[in-house]
Amino acid sequence: AVSRRRRSPQRCYTGYMPATRDLVRLDACGDPADLIVRFLNTLDVEAGTDAIDTLDGWASWLSAQGLQGCFGPQDASALERARELRGDLRALASGRQHAQGRQVDIQVSLTVDGQLELSASTAAGLLAAAAATVAIQERIDRVKICPADDCRWAFYDTSRNRSRQWCSMKVCGNRAKARAHRRRSAPV
């Protein structure tokens, strides 16, 4: 005999949320991991530049990603949220623990075919949705920051065993190997 457990109506899902017109769907941006890497690389440590240090730079970056006009005019608080999110994601990608938690508005929907769909009404929300998607797909550990102090470039690790360390073996990896060789071969 099968017995049915009674469910508390307060703990049960009661229905679907109506679609909101002012949300931007994440699938409009291609692979979310690529979007996250491009976002992290708005800070260029080697060149000493920050592509989103001003509102114009932030609007310009959004435009380059095909997101111009999707979120309306950007203001100083939207830029600040984006920069804070970038700092959190860079800390995560470089393997540092980052205690600061941030709330970002994301809408989660269930599609007809049973897939999750993330969307957001703000640019920072869309970027957080991209990071959440990559985390759900268990690929967030593939988004890394080059450990070279003069580089710190973000990249996506495509190696089979997820062991890639440098953004480029030809540049940063070669420099690190040459330094290690010089240390080992130096007279004591």
Side-chain angles (χ1 to χ4, degrees), residues 14-147:
T14 59
Y16 293 99
M17 289 186 62
T20 307
R21 295 184 191 274
D22 60 347
L23 295 175
V24 177
R25 290 177 32 190
L26 182 58
D27 61 358
C29 301
D31 183 10
D34 290 339
L35 179 63
I36 292 301
V37 168
R38 291 191 305 270
F39 178 58
L40 295 179
N41 285 332
T42 57
L43 179 65
D44 189 343
V45 173
E46 187 173 16
T49 60
D50 184 352
I52 62 171
D53 61 345
T54 63
L55 276 173
D56 288 339
W58 175 230
S60 213
W61 186 82
L62 288 172
S63 178
Q65 306 312 308
L67 298 171
Q68 71 276 5
C70 292
F71 303 105
Q74 298 296 301
D75 59 9
S77 66
L79 174 62
E80 185 60 29
R81 282 191 306 273
R83 291 176 58 120
E84 288 171 349
L85 178 64
R86 182 184 64 186
D88 294 344
L89 291 174
R90 284 186 69 85
L92 177 67
S94 52
R96 294 190 323 259
Q97 293 295 327
H98 198 64
Q100 182 69 35
R102 305 210 193 277
Q103 272 192 298
V104 182
D105 291 330
I106 299 173
Q107 182 172 349
V108 180
S109 304
L110 186 63
T111 64
V112 175
D113 59 347
Q115 299 295 314
L116 286 179
E117 179 179 89
L118 300 178
S119 53
S121 59
T122 64
L126 185 73
L127 293 163
T133 299
V134 174
I136 290 167
Q137 295 169 344
E138 297 182 354
R139 301 187 301 146
I140 197 73
D141 62 331
R142 288 186 178 269
V143 176
K144 299 179 178 180
I145 301 286
C146 182

